[in-house]
mmCIF file of all heavy atoms in Angstrom:
data_model
loop_
_atom_site.group_PDB
_atom_site.id
_atom_site.type_symbol
_atom_site.label_atom_id
_atom_site.label_comp_id
_atom_site.label_asym_id
_atom_site.label_seq_id
_atom_site.Cartn_x
_atom_site.Cartn_y
_atom_site.Cartn_z
ATOM 1 N N TRP A 33 214.084 -44.182 287.308
ATOM 2 C CA TRP A 33 215.303 -43.366 287.240
ATOM 3 C C TRP A 33 216.306 -43.673 288.333
ATOM 4 O O TRP A 33 217.346 -43.024 288.427
ATOM 5 C CB TRP A 33 214.927 -41.858 287.293
ATOM 6 C CG TRP A 33 213.933 -41.492 286.258
ATOM 7 C CD1 TRP A 33 212.626 -41.191 286.464
ATOM 8 C CD2 TRP A 33 214.138 -41.406 284.833
ATOM 9 N NE1 TRP A 33 211.995 -40.914 285.275
ATOM 10 C CE2 TRP A 33 212.897 -41.030 284.254
ATOM 11 C CE3 TRP A 33 215.234 -41.608 284.001
ATOM 12 C CZ2 TRP A 33 212.731 -40.870 282.881
ATOM 13 C CZ3 TRP A 33 215.070 -41.441 282.629
ATOM 14 C CH2 TRP A 33 213.831 -41.081 282.078
ATOM 15 N N ASP A 50 217.542 -37.440 282.072
ATOM 16 C CA ASP A 50 217.880 -36.798 280.797
ATOM 17 C C ASP A 50 218.026 -35.314 281.096
ATOM 18 O O ASP A 50 217.371 -34.795 282.005
ATOM 19 C CB ASP A 50 216.731 -37.006 279.794
ATOM 20 C CG ASP A 50 216.632 -38.484 279.384
ATOM 21 O OD1 ASP A 50 217.559 -38.977 278.763
ATOM 22 O OD2 ASP A 50 215.600 -39.109 279.714
ATOM 23 N N ARG A 118 216.449 -37.346 265.690
ATOM 24 C CA ARG A 118 217.082 -36.809 266.894
ATOM 25 C C ARG A 118 218.313 -35.988 266.570
ATOM 26 O O ARG A 118 219.217 -35.858 267.395
ATOM 27 C CB ARG A 118 217.461 -37.944 267.844
ATOM 28 C CG ARG A 118 216.363 -38.338 268.729
ATOM 29 C CD ARG A 118 216.770 -39.516 269.576
ATOM 30 N NE ARG A 118 216.978 -39.126 270.961
ATOM 31 C CZ ARG A 118 217.182 -39.997 271.931
ATOM 32 N NH1 ARG A 118 217.241 -41.280 271.677
ATOM 33 N NH2 ARG A 118 217.345 -39.576 273.177
ATOM 34 N N LYS A 151 226.299 -41.509 274.900
ATOM 35 C CA LYS A 151 225.246 -42.391 274.379
ATOM 36 C C LYS A 151 225.031 -42.120 272.910
ATOM 37 O O LYS A 151 225.435 -41.072 272.415
ATOM 38 C CB LYS A 151 223.944 -42.178 275.188
ATOM 39 C CG LYS A 151 223.189 -40.874 274.905
ATOM 40 C CD LYS A 151 221.968 -40.764 275.800
ATOM 41 C CE LYS A 151 221.126 -39.541 275.460
ATOM 42 N NZ LYS A 151 219.989 -39.367 276.367
ATOM 43 N N HIS A 152 224.410 -42.953 272.144
ATOM 44 C CA HIS A 152 224.008 -44.318 272.413
ATOM 45 C C HIS A 152 225.000 -45.184 271.628
ATOM 46 O O HIS A 152 225.030 -45.099 270.408
ATOM 47 C CB HIS A 152 222.579 -44.577 271.922
ATOM 48 C CG HIS A 152 221.613 -43.518 272.346
ATOM 49 N ND1 HIS A 152 221.445 -42.338 271.677
ATOM 50 C CD2 HIS A 152 220.764 -43.446 273.411
ATOM 51 C CE1 HIS A 152 220.528 -41.598 272.292
ATOM 52 N NE2 HIS A 152 220.105 -42.248 273.340
ATOM 53 N N ARG A 162 214.052 -48.041 265.624
ATOM 54 C CA ARG A 162 215.309 -47.970 266.396
ATOM 55 C C ARG A 162 215.446 -49.093 267.413
ATOM 56 O O ARG A 162 216.548 -49.409 267.854
ATOM 57 C CB ARG A 162 215.439 -46.607 267.095
ATOM 58 C CG ARG A 162 214.408 -46.368 268.198
ATOM 59 C CD ARG A 162 214.742 -45.124 268.988
ATOM 60 N NE ARG A 162 213.653 -44.774 269.879
ATOM 61 C CZ ARG A 162 213.779 -44.071 270.990
ATOM 62 N NH1 ARG A 162 214.959 -43.616 271.343
ATOM 63 N NH2 ARG A 162 212.731 -43.773 271.730
ATOM 64 N N TYR A 197 219.610 -49.140 271.656
ATOM 65 C CA TYR A 197 218.551 -50.126 271.395
ATOM 66 C C TYR A 197 218.904 -51.002 270.186
ATOM 67 O O TYR A 197 218.445 -52.117 270.074
ATOM 68 C CB TYR A 197 217.250 -49.406 271.020
ATOM 69 C CG TYR A 197 216.543 -48.674 272.130
ATOM 70 C CD1 TYR A 197 216.292 -47.309 272.015
ATOM 71 C CD2 TYR A 197 216.084 -49.349 273.250
ATOM 72 C CE1 TYR A 197 215.603 -46.629 273.011
ATOM 73 C CE2 TYR A 197 215.387 -48.672 274.244
ATOM 74 C CZ TYR A 197 215.151 -47.302 274.121
ATOM 75 O OH TYR A 197 214.468 -46.641 275.098
ATOM 76 N N ASP A 228 220.207 -48.335 277.374
ATOM 77 C CA ASP A 228 219.132 -47.424 277.070
ATOM 78 C C ASP A 228 217.882 -48.012 277.718
ATOM 79 O O ASP A 228 217.815 -49.200 278.042
ATOM 80 C CB ASP A 228 218.946 -47.220 275.556
ATOM 81 C CG ASP A 228 218.167 -45.921 275.275
ATOM 82 O OD1 ASP A 228 217.532 -45.387 276.225
ATOM 83 O OD2 ASP A 228 218.184 -45.450 274.129
ATOM 84 N N SER A 353 212.505 -37.829 275.010
ATOM 85 C CA SER A 353 213.020 -38.023 276.367
ATOM 86 C C SER A 353 213.800 -36.836 276.864
ATOM 87 O O SER A 353 214.017 -36.665 278.058
ATOM 88 C CB SER A 353 213.897 -39.274 276.395
ATOM 89 O OG SER A 353 214.962 -39.157 275.461
ATOM 90 N N GLU A 566 212.012 -37.282 268.812
ATOM 91 C CA GLU A 566 212.543 -38.620 269.059
ATOM 92 C C GLU A 566 211.535 -39.694 268.651
ATOM 93 O O GLU A 566 210.334 -39.450 268.706
ATOM 94 C CB GLU A 566 212.848 -38.750 270.561
ATOM 95 C CG GLU A 566 213.453 -40.080 270.956
ATOM 96 C CD GLU A 566 213.766 -40.148 272.440
ATOM 97 O OE1 GLU A 566 213.881 -39.096 273.082
ATOM 98 O OE2 GLU A 566 213.879 -41.273 272.949
HETATM 99 C C1 BGC B 901 216.332 -42.573 274.898
HETATM 100 C C2 BGC B 901 217.530 -42.193 275.751
HETATM 101 C C3 BGC B 901 217.071 -41.665 277.075
HETATM 102 C C4 BGC B 901 216.200 -42.715 277.752
HETATM 103 C C5 BGC B 901 215.665 -42.280 279.089
HETATM 104 C C6 BGC B 901 215.368 -43.498 275.642
HETATM 105 O O1 BGC B 901 214.197 -43.704 274.927
HETATM 106 O O2 BGC B 901 216.767 -43.213 273.725
HETATM 107 O O3 BGC B 901 218.311 -41.245 275.075
HETATM 108 O O4 BGC B 901 218.163 -41.310 277.873
HETATM 109 O O5 BGC B 901 215.080 -42.993 276.912
HETATM 110 O O6 BGC B 901 214.729 -41.275 278.943
#
Side-chain angles (χ1 to χ4, degrees):
W33 306 107
D50 292 295
R118 274 177 108 171
K151 74 182 186 184
H152 312 83
R162 67 171 170 156
Y197 289 122
D228 200 344
S353 57
E566 182 179 339

